[in-house]
Amino acid sequence: MRPFWVRLVVVLTVLTGINYVTWRWVASLNWDAWWIAVPLVIAETYSLIDVMLFGMTVWRLKERTPPSPESADATVDVFVTTYNEPLDMVMATALAAQRIRHPHSTWILDDGDRQELRDLAAAHGLGYVTRGAAWSGMPRHAKAGNLNNALMMTSGEFLLILDADQIPEPDILDKTLGYFNNRRVALVQTPQYFSNVPDSDPLGSQAPLFYGPIQQGKDGWNAAFFCGSNAVLRREALMQLGLVGYVKETEKSVRRALSASQAAIRKARKAASNESPLLLQTLDEVEAATLEARRQLDAGESLSEITYRARRRVDRAVQSLVLADVTALQADLEEIAAMSPVQVGEAGVPVVTEDAVHRMAARDWSPLGAIESVQAVLDALSVERTDEAQPVMPLATISVTEDMATAMRLHSLGWQSVYHHEILAYGLAPEDIGTMLTQRLRWAQGTMQVFLRENPLVQRGLKMGQRLMYFATMWTYLSGFAAVVYFAAPIVYLLLGILPVTSLSADFFLRFIPFMVVNQLLFAIAGKGIPTWRGQQYSLALFPTWIKACTTAARNVWLGRPLGFAVTPKDRQSGGPRWSLIRPQIIVSVLLVIASVVGIGRLAAGMSEPIGTLVNVLWVVFDLVVMSILVRAVLYRGYQADEPDDETSSITEPSNERAARGPEL
């Protein structure tokens, strides 16, 4: 019955939402205050699209039954990724991974290249992988580069990827490998659950809405995506992805080189307008070679053959020009020699006459300089990726988070994914607001990088449902801009008495209230009792983080500016409360309070309407309640276990105390 009720509430939400927002656009805008009225209705339209995408997500909630038993001979590599995390944390995870029951090889992927960790891995019989000399001076691509490097040094049929703090259960492979009996399944993602989070979850780390109905809904559309850890992937699918990516990137490089060569040829022809006919003939031949290469590229011919033929044809043309140039140079030297330019000076030293100097300076000795730029561009016609440490990069490197882009590319190739709704690994969440903000910023930046570089709405190979499921996740990070408007609207009314709507009439309430009620009802029914309020708080309260993520990602993609990537610390950062981290929210909260006081004063003085003041004061109260979570987050002093157990023991024995802290989803 649950799917029926979910779909019924989705329909009601969409109908009431469209009814309300359409009325807002058509009949309620206060055009005398368009500067706040239009932004507000745009923000409301954004929110309607957001809830409609959520409704579409949960329309196909998939609650999977356990898969059939896995193949006993399936080979698995377990990767524990690390950069600078504490050695005891990495070893606790690696040793727990070593105890996984299904036969496998455990590898520590140390991007920090630490000798101490290498020695510990050897002492415990663990594999150890770090980057070689080929990566020196090359783009490293953070975690994606670390995993891509390890893929070329291992051979397991499947890969279990774990972050340095994610302690796996011994049966994690027993419960996930069976899905791969379907040969088209490339990815099985399990939830990320954190054992150091209190029930109040002041930093909003657990994300029960995402690792619940959202991922289950995406799973129904075959769009559940890779989340970076606690996931099993098929090597064959990743290698296919890497090879396809290699071909695409090489083709892009060749096309760029051919396009650039056209500009270089035009420039060289202009510079050579007074040169010999032979030079112009050579440039014509080079241009013909590039045009032919582009035609063959469009026809889908082999890249290696195209680049080989084009470079050979250009080389022959240049060689002919060089031969002619050398012949002309020899003739010029003979002509100068016949002029007897050399005389004997006072000291008996031979000198060149002034007449000969003028003749030599006036002579354009070589036309080869005119095509140097063309030759340099054509040197880029190569199928070798000399700008990367390795030619094949299976995991996507287009953003600071490798997971979503990799999954989207796998889906575009026709592979399937699975979301297994059971906690099978236990991690460590941030324990201070600074670390939490760093983590959320990186997630948002990575998502927006993918959106700007590979917009899912136009990606070939994706079905419409998959396109919208990826777009839905990207769309949510635009909420920071809408939040600014939602905070500004009540401030404007309470301070200035300006309403963004024509009036707060019965028409407004009859449309707005039903929409809000069924909207909240949808979250309650889809979540089936899980807490969603904390997620709703942070979606608004972190508006500066979301705005920064969008703007920095745009500057990175469009202007090439660096993001300033930082690895999320795994331990609590020292120091007292850091109020500066939420300065924008504090300013907004102060303005909301001041606006409320002024608004109540205006009401007492008869300068505003009671209904308008009441509605906006209630709006301010709601905003302040949303913001209040940040006060708790700043004052949060880290996780304190309910029972005085040994945290180190709970980390090294995940199937006992640590696992007991989190029930199955």
Side-chain angles (χ1 to χ4, degrees), residues 555-592:
R555 287 199 297 266
N556 173 259
V557 173
W558 295 337
L559 305 176
R561 296 182 182 177
L563 288 176
F565 173 80
V567 177
T568 305
K570 300 299 183 185
D571 50 357
R572 177 177 173 81
Q573 304 302 291
S574 59
R578 302 172 64 188
W579 297 104
S580 61
L581 294 175
I582 60 168
R583 184 178 293 113
Q585 292 94 327
I586 292 174
I587 294 173
V588 169
S589 298
V590 170
L591 290 175
L592 288 168

mmCIF file of all heavy atoms in Angstrom, residues 555-592:
data_model
loop_
_atom_site.group_PDB
_atom_site.id
_atom_site.type_symbol
_atom_site.label_atom_id
_atom_site.label_comp_id
_atom_site.label_asym_id
_atom_site.label_seq_id
_atom_site.Cartn_x
_atom_site.Cartn_y
_atom_site.Cartn_z
ATOM 1 N N ARG A 555 33.330 29.401 -11.897
ATOM 2 C CA ARG A 555 34.619 30.033 -12.234
ATOM 3 C C ARG A 555 35.655 28.989 -12.624
ATOM 4 O O ARG A 555 36.481 29.228 -13.512
ATOM 5 C CB ARG A 555 35.114 30.865 -11.048
ATOM 6 C CG ARG A 555 34.342 32.152 -10.816
ATOM 7 C CD ARG A 555 35.135 33.133 -9.964
ATOM 8 N NE ARG A 555 35.395 32.609 -8.637
ATOM 9 C CZ ARG A 555 34.649 32.848 -7.579
ATOM 10 N NH1 ARG A 555 33.559 33.588 -7.694
ATOM 11 N NH2 ARG A 555 34.967 32.358 -6.392
ATOM 12 N N ASN A 556 35.604 27.839 -11.974
ATOM 13 C CA ASN A 556 36.559 26.778 -12.311
ATOM 14 C C ASN A 556 36.315 26.235 -13.714
ATOM 15 O O ASN A 556 37.256 26.068 -14.501
ATOM 16 C CB ASN A 556 36.465 25.661 -11.281
ATOM 17 C CG ASN A 556 37.301 24.445 -11.643
ATOM 18 O OD1 ASN A 556 36.783 23.452 -12.141
ATOM 19 N ND2 ASN A 556 38.592 24.538 -11.399
ATOM 20 N N VAL A 557 35.060 25.965 -14.031
ATOM 21 C CA VAL A 557 34.735 25.357 -15.325
ATOM 22 C C VAL A 557 34.873 26.367 -16.458
ATOM 23 O O VAL A 557 35.430 26.062 -17.511
ATOM 24 C CB VAL A 557 33.311 24.771 -15.296
ATOM 25 C CG1 VAL A 557 32.889 24.297 -16.687
ATOM 26 C CG2 VAL A 557 33.238 23.618 -14.304
ATOM 27 N N TRP A 558 34.398 27.585 -16.252
ATOM 28 C CA TRP A 558 34.370 28.580 -17.333
ATOM 29 C C TRP A 558 35.656 29.389 -17.438
ATOM 30 O O TRP A 558 36.037 29.788 -18.538
ATOM 31 C CB TRP A 558 33.183 29.513 -17.144
ATOM 32 C CG TRP A 558 31.856 28.841 -17.268
ATOM 33 C CD1 TRP A 558 31.585 27.680 -17.932
ATOM 34 C CD2 TRP A 558 30.603 29.279 -16.716
ATOM 35 N NE1 TRP A 558 30.252 27.361 -17.831
ATOM 36 C CE2 TRP A 558 29.617 28.325 -17.088
ATOM 37 C CE3 TRP A 558 30.220 30.369 -15.949
ATOM 38 C CZ2 TRP A 558 28.281 28.438 -16.715
ATOM 39 C CZ3 TRP A 558 28.880 30.494 -15.582
ATOM 40 C CH2 TRP A 558 27.931 29.542 -15.962
ATOM 41 N N LEU A 559 36.311 29.631 -16.312
ATOM 42 C CA LEU A 559 37.497 30.490 -16.318
ATOM 43 C C LEU A 559 38.776 29.764 -15.930
ATOM 44 O O LEU A 559 39.853 30.361 -15.971
ATOM 45 C CB LEU A 559 37.285 31.687 -15.373
ATOM 46 C CG LEU A 559 36.040 32.548 -15.637
ATOM 47 C CD1 LEU A 559 35.914 33.639 -14.574
ATOM 48 C CD2 LEU A 559 36.098 33.152 -17.037
ATOM 49 N N GLY A 560 38.665 28.508 -15.542
ATOM 50 C CA GLY A 560 39.855 27.736 -15.196
ATOM 51 C C GLY A 560 40.474 28.075 -13.861
ATOM 52 O O GLY A 560 41.625 27.729 -13.598
ATOM 53 N N ARG A 561 39.720 28.722 -12.972
ATOM 54 C CA ARG A 561 40.276 29.074 -11.672
ATOM 55 C C ARG A 561 40.219 27.877 -10.736
ATOM 56 O O ARG A 561 39.227 27.138 -10.726
ATOM 57 C CB ARG A 561 39.510 30.254 -11.068
ATOM 58 C CG ARG A 561 39.636 31.533 -11.896
ATOM 59 C CD ARG A 561 38.899 32.691 -11.245
ATOM 60 N NE ARG A 561 38.978 33.901 -12.062
ATOM 61 C CZ ARG A 561 38.377 35.046 -11.761
ATOM 62 N NH1 ARG A 561 37.642 35.127 -10.653
ATOM 63 N NH2 ARG A 561 38.492 36.095 -12.544
ATOM 64 N N PRO A 562 41.248 27.679 -9.915
ATOM 65 C CA PRO A 562 41.272 26.512 -9.019
ATOM 66 C C PRO A 562 40.222 26.627 -7.926
ATOM 67 O O PRO A 562 39.825 27.732 -7.526
ATOM 68 C CB PRO A 562 42.685 26.533 -8.435
ATOM 69 C CG PRO A 562 43.116 27.970 -8.540
ATOM 70 C CD PRO A 562 42.473 28.505 -9.789
ATOM 71 N N LEU A 563 39.787 25.454 -7.424
ATOM 72 C CA LEU A 563 38.787 25.427 -6.372
ATOM 73 C C LEU A 563 39.403 25.514 -4.983
ATOM 74 O O LEU A 563 38.721 25.818 -4.016
ATOM 75 C CB LEU A 563 37.972 24.126 -6.448
ATOM 76 C CG LEU A 563 36.974 24.002 -7.603
ATOM 77 C CD1 LEU A 563 36.336 22.627 -7.576
ATOM 78 C CD2 LEU A 563 35.909 25.071 -7.510
ATOM 79 N N GLY A 564 40.696 25.198 -4.870
ATOM 80 C CA GLY A 564 41.298 25.137 -3.544
ATOM 81 C C GLY A 564 40.847 23.902 -2.801
ATOM 82 O O GLY A 564 40.427 23.951 -1.644
ATOM 83 N N PHE A 565 40.931 22.737 -3.468
ATOM 84 C CA PHE A 565 40.453 21.473 -2.911
ATOM 85 C C PHE A 565 41.190 21.121 -1.626
ATOM 86 O O PHE A 565 42.400 21.294 -1.522
ATOM 87 C CB PHE A 565 40.655 20.345 -3.930
ATOM 88 C CG PHE A 565 40.350 18.968 -3.394
ATOM 89 C CD1 PHE A 565 39.040 18.536 -3.304
ATOM 90 C CD2 PHE A 565 41.359 18.140 -2.965
ATOM 91 C CE1 PHE A 565 38.753 17.272 -2.821
ATOM 92 C CE2 PHE A 565 41.080 16.877 -2.476
ATOM 93 C CZ PHE A 565 39.776 16.444 -2.409
ATOM 94 N N ALA A 566 40.430 20.625 -0.639
ATOM 95 C CA ALA A 566 41.018 20.191 0.625
ATOM 96 C C ALA A 566 40.379 18.876 1.045
ATOM 97 O O ALA A 566 39.170 18.688 0.929
ATOM 98 C CB ALA A 566 40.812 21.242 1.711
ATOM 99 N N VAL A 567 41.204 17.948 1.532
ATOM 100 C CA VAL A 567 40.699 16.686 2.048
ATOM 101 C C VAL A 567 39.981 16.951 3.366
ATOM 102 O O VAL A 567 40.466 17.699 4.214
ATOM 103 C CB VAL A 567 41.843 15.676 2.260
ATOM 104 C CG1 VAL A 567 41.319 14.380 2.869
ATOM 105 C CG2 VAL A 567 42.539 15.398 0.933
ATOM 106 N N THR A 568 38.810 16.339 3.552
ATOM 107 C CA THR A 568 38.069 16.538 4.786
ATOM 108 C C THR A 568 38.804 15.900 5.947
ATOM 109 O O THR A 568 39.083 14.697 5.920
ATOM 110 C CB THR A 568 36.664 15.913 4.674
ATOM 111 O OG1 THR A 568 36.006 16.455 3.533
ATOM 112 C CG2 THR A 568 35.853 16.200 5.917
ATOM 113 N N PRO A 569 39.127 16.652 7.012
ATOM 114 C CA PRO A 569 39.786 16.053 8.172
ATOM 115 C C PRO A 569 38.893 15.001 8.814
ATOM 116 O O PRO A 569 37.675 15.145 8.853
ATOM 117 C CB PRO A 569 39.991 17.254 9.122
ATOM 118 C CG PRO A 569 39.897 18.459 8.248
ATOM 119 C CD PRO A 569 38.945 18.096 7.152
ATOM 120 N N LYS A 570 39.521 13.933 9.321
ATOM 121 C CA LYS A 570 38.757 12.864 9.946
ATOM 122 C C LYS A 570 38.697 12.994 11.464
ATOM 123 O O LYS A 570 38.009 12.223 12.119
ATOM 124 C CB LYS A 570 39.373 11.496 9.583
ATOM 125 C CG LYS A 570 39.393 11.200 8.097
ATOM 126 C CD LYS A 570 38.008 11.159 7.499
ATOM 127 C CE LYS A 570 38.057 10.782 6.019
ATOM 128 N NZ LYS A 570 36.743 10.841 5.382
ATOM 129 N N ASP A 571 39.436 13.925 12.042
ATOM 130 C CA ASP A 571 39.384 14.110 13.475
ATOM 131 C C ASP A 571 38.908 15.530 13.785
ATOM 132 O O ASP A 571 38.970 16.424 12.949
ATOM 133 C CB ASP A 571 40.746 13.854 14.129
ATOM 134 C CG ASP A 571 41.871 14.625 13.444
ATOM 135 O OD1 ASP A 571 41.580 15.301 12.444
ATOM 136 O OD2 ASP A 571 43.023 14.535 13.904
ATOM 137 N N ARG A 572 38.424 15.714 15.009
ATOM 138 C CA ARG A 572 37.881 17.009 15.397
ATOM 139 C C ARG A 572 38.974 18.062 15.402
ATOM 140 O O ARG A 572 40.081 17.835 15.866
ATOM 141 C CB ARG A 572 37.235 16.914 16.775
ATOM 142 C CG ARG A 572 36.719 18.256 17.260
ATOM 143 C CD ARG A 572 35.999 18.171 18.601
ATOM 144 N NE ARG A 572 35.684 19.503 19.064
ATOM 145 C CZ ARG A 572 34.657 20.221 18.661
ATOM 146 N NH1 ARG A 572 33.833 19.713 17.776
ATOM 147 N NH2 ARG A 572 34.445 21.442 19.108
ATOM 148 N N GLN A 573 38.656 19.255 14.862
ATOM 149 C CA GLN A 573 39.601 20.353 14.848
ATOM 150 C C GLN A 573 39.560 21.080 16.189
ATOM 151 O O GLN A 573 38.493 21.333 16.748
ATOM 152 C CB GLN A 573 39.269 21.319 13.712
ATOM 153 C CG GLN A 573 39.235 20.637 12.346
ATOM 154 C CD GLN A 573 40.539 19.949 11.992
ATOM 155 O OE1 GLN A 573 41.542 20.609 11.750
ATOM 156 N NE2 GLN A 573 40.550 18.625 11.985
ATOM 157 N N SER A 574 40.718 21.414 16.714
ATOM 158 C CA SER A 574 40.817 22.003 18.043
ATOM 159 C C SER A 574 40.374 23.467 18.021
ATOM 160 O O SER A 574 40.248 24.096 16.972
ATOM 161 C CB SER A 574 42.254 21.904 18.556
ATOM 162 O OG SER A 574 43.140 22.574 17.677
ATOM 163 N N GLY A 575 40.156 23.999 19.242
ATOM 164 C CA GLY A 575 39.762 25.397 19.365
ATOM 165 C C GLY A 575 38.342 25.544 19.869
ATOM 166 O O GLY A 575 37.559 24.578 19.921
ATOM 167 N N GLY A 576 37.975 26.752 20.251
ATOM 168 C CA GLY A 576 36.646 27.031 20.755
ATOM 169 C C GLY A 576 35.648 27.230 19.645
ATOM 170 O O GLY A 576 35.922 26.978 18.471
ATOM 171 N N PRO A 577 34.442 27.671 20.017
ATOM 172 C CA PRO A 577 33.389 27.917 19.015
ATOM 173 C C PRO A 577 33.856 28.901 17.942
ATOM 174 O O PRO A 577 34.419 29.947 18.251
ATOM 175 C CB PRO A 577 32.248 28.498 19.856
ATOM 176 C CG PRO A 577 32.498 27.998 21.238
ATOM 177 C CD PRO A 577 33.986 27.929 21.389
ATOM 178 N N ARG A 578 33.604 28.571 16.690
ATOM 179 C CA ARG A 578 34.062 29.392 15.571
ATOM 180 C C ARG A 578 32.859 30.080 14.936
ATOM 181 O O ARG A 578 32.333 29.676 13.909
ATOM 182 C CB ARG A 578 34.809 28.514 14.566
ATOM 183 C CG ARG A 578 36.009 27.781 15.173
ATOM 184 C CD ARG A 578 36.603 26.770 14.216
ATOM 185 N NE ARG A 578 37.153 27.391 13.030
ATOM 186 C CZ ARG A 578 37.596 26.710 11.973
ATOM 187 N NH1 ARG A 578 37.529 25.387 11.962
ATOM 188 N NH2 ARG A 578 38.082 27.342 10.929
ATOM 189 N N TRP A 579 32.422 31.181 15.587
ATOM 190 C CA TRP A 579 31.245 31.903 15.124
ATOM 191 C C TRP A 579 31.473 32.551 13.759
ATOM 192 O O TRP A 579 30.509 32.804 13.010
ATOM 193 C CB TRP A 579 30.851 32.960 16.154
ATOM 194 C CG TRP A 579 30.459 32.371 17.477
ATOM 195 C CD1 TRP A 579 31.201 32.348 18.619
ATOM 196 C CD2 TRP A 579 29.245 31.678 17.778
ATOM 197 N NE1 TRP A 579 30.521 31.697 19.623
ATOM 198 C CE2 TRP A 579 29.307 31.282 19.133
ATOM 199 C CE3 TRP A 579 28.096 31.376 17.048
ATOM 200 C CZ2 TRP A 579 28.289 30.589 19.760
ATOM 201 C CZ3 TRP A 579 27.067 30.683 17.666
ATOM 202 C CH2 TRP A 579 27.166 30.305 19.010
ATOM 203 N N SER A 580 32.722 32.802 13.424
ATOM 204 C CA SER A 580 32.998 33.448 12.133
ATOM 205 C C SER A 580 32.563 32.585 10.956
ATOM 206 O O SER A 580 32.324 33.104 9.862
ATOM 207 C CB SER A 580 34.490 33.766 12.020
ATOM 208 O OG SER A 580 35.270 32.576 12.077
ATOM 209 N N LEU A 581 32.469 31.280 11.168
ATOM 210 C CA LEU A 581 32.086 30.384 10.080
ATOM 211 C C LEU A 581 30.626 30.574 9.660
ATOM 212 O O LEU A 581 30.244 30.180 8.555
ATOM 213 C CB LEU A 581 32.320 28.928 10.478
ATOM 214 C CG LEU A 581 33.782 28.520 10.684
ATOM 215 C CD1 LEU A 581 33.866 27.091 11.195
ATOM 216 C CD2 LEU A 581 34.563 28.650 9.376
ATOM 217 N N ILE A 582 29.823 31.128 10.562
ATOM 218 C CA ILE A 582 28.405 31.339 10.220
ATOM 219 C C ILE A 582 28.060 32.825 10.274
ATOM 220 O O ILE A 582 26.920 33.188 10.571
ATOM 221 C CB ILE A 582 27.483 30.521 11.151
ATOM 222 C CG1 ILE A 582 27.695 30.935 12.607
ATOM 223 C CG2 ILE A 582 27.692 29.039 10.960
ATOM 224 C CD1 ILE A 582 26.617 30.371 13.537
ATOM 225 N N ARG A 583 29.031 33.690 9.968
ATOM 226 C CA ARG A 583 28.795 35.132 10.026
ATOM 227 C C ARG A 583 27.615 35.566 9.141
ATOM 228 O O ARG A 583 26.769 36.360 9.583
ATOM 229 C CB ARG A 583 30.066 35.893 9.648
ATOM 230 C CG ARG A 583 29.911 37.408 9.785
ATOM 231 C CD ARG A 583 31.196 38.139 9.444
ATOM 232 N NE ARG A 583 32.245 37.864 10.422
ATOM 233 C CZ ARG A 583 33.361 37.186 10.168
ATOM 234 N NH1 ARG A 583 33.577 36.682 8.941
ATOM 235 N NH2 ARG A 583 34.268 36.985 11.101
ATOM 236 N N PRO A 584 27.507 35.093 7.879
ATOM 237 C CA PRO A 584 26.359 35.520 7.065
ATOM 238 C C PRO A 584 25.024 35.134 7.701
ATOM 239 O O PRO A 584 24.066 35.920 7.674
ATOM 240 C CB PRO A 584 26.579 34.803 5.732
ATOM 241 C CG PRO A 584 28.038 34.504 5.696
ATOM 242 C CD PRO A 584 28.443 34.245 7.105
ATOM 243 N N GLN A 585 24.957 33.934 8.277
ATOM 244 C CA GLN A 585 23.707 33.505 8.905
ATOM 245 C C GLN A 585 23.397 34.332 10.151
ATOM 246 O O GLN A 585 22.227 34.620 10.435
ATOM 247 C CB GLN A 585 23.783 32.013 9.266
ATOM 248 C CG GLN A 585 23.809 31.097 8.050
ATOM 249 C CD GLN A 585 25.211 30.724 7.613
ATOM 250 O OE1 GLN A 585 26.150 31.519 7.754
ATOM 251 N NE2 GLN A 585 25.374 29.518 7.097
ATOM 252 N N ILE A 586 24.438 34.705 10.893
ATOM 253 C CA ILE A 586 24.217 35.550 12.070
ATOM 254 C C ILE A 586 23.673 36.912 11.648
ATOM 255 O O ILE A 586 22.731 37.444 12.258
ATOM 256 C CB ILE A 586 25.528 35.709 12.867
ATOM 257 C CG1 ILE A 586 25.934 34.371 13.502
ATOM 258 C CG2 ILE A 586 25.375 36.770 13.945
ATOM 259 C CD1 ILE A 586 27.288 34.402 14.186
ATOM 260 N N ILE A 587 24.238 37.473 10.595
ATOM 261 C CA ILE A 587 23.763 38.775 10.099
ATOM 262 C C ILE A 587 22.308 38.681 9.672
ATOM 263 O O ILE A 587 21.476 39.546 10.013
ATOM 264 C CB ILE A 587 24.657 39.253 8.937
ATOM 265 C CG1 ILE A 587 26.076 39.556 9.445
ATOM 266 C CG2 ILE A 587 24.049 40.480 8.265
ATOM 267 C CD1 ILE A 587 27.064 39.862 8.344
ATOM 268 N N VAL A 588 21.966 37.623 8.940
ATOM 269 C CA VAL A 588 20.583 37.443 8.503
ATOM 270 C C VAL A 588 19.661 37.292 9.709
ATOM 271 O O VAL A 588 18.566 37.882 9.758
ATOM 272 C CB VAL A 588 20.476 36.228 7.566
ATOM 273 C CG1 VAL A 588 19.014 35.863 7.329
ATOM 274 C CG2 VAL A 588 21.157 36.510 6.236
ATOM 275 N N SER A 589 20.084 36.525 10.700
ATOM 276 C CA SER A 589 19.246 36.318 11.891
ATOM 277 C C SER A 589 19.018 37.624 12.639
ATOM 278 O O SER A 589 17.895 37.909 13.096
ATOM 279 C CB SER A 589 19.903 35.290 12.818
ATOM 280 O OG SER A 589 20.015 34.039 12.183
ATOM 281 N N VAL A 590 20.070 38.429 12.770
ATOM 282 C CA VAL A 590 19.920 39.726 13.435
ATOM 283 C C VAL A 590 18.946 40.606 12.662
ATOM 284 O O VAL A 590 18.073 41.275 13.251
ATOM 285 C CB VAL A 590 21.294 40.413 13.592
ATOM 286 C CG1 VAL A 590 21.129 41.855 14.060
ATOM 287 C CG2 VAL A 590 22.169 39.636 14.565
ATOM 288 N N LEU A 591 19.058 40.631 11.352
ATOM 289 C CA LEU A 591 18.139 41.422 10.535
ATOM 290 C C LEU A 591 16.703 40.934 10.689
ATOM 291 O O LEU A 591 15.756 41.743 10.721
ATOM 292 C CB LEU A 591 18.562 41.362 9.069
ATOM 293 C CG LEU A 591 19.852 42.109 8.702
ATOM 294 C CD1 LEU A 591 20.220 41.853 7.246
ATOM 295 C CD2 LEU A 591 19.690 43.611 8.951
ATOM 296 N N LEU A 592 16.517 39.617 10.781
ATOM 297 C CA LEU A 592 15.176 39.070 10.971
ATOM 298 C C LEU A 592 14.578 39.521 12.303
ATOM 299 O O LEU A 592 13.391 39.886 12.376
ATOM 300 C CB LEU A 592 15.222 37.543 10.896
ATOM 301 C CG LEU A 592 15.446 36.935 9.506
ATOM 302 C CD1 LEU A 592 15.756 35.445 9.612
ATOM 303 C CD2 LEU A 592 14.232 37.148 8.612
#
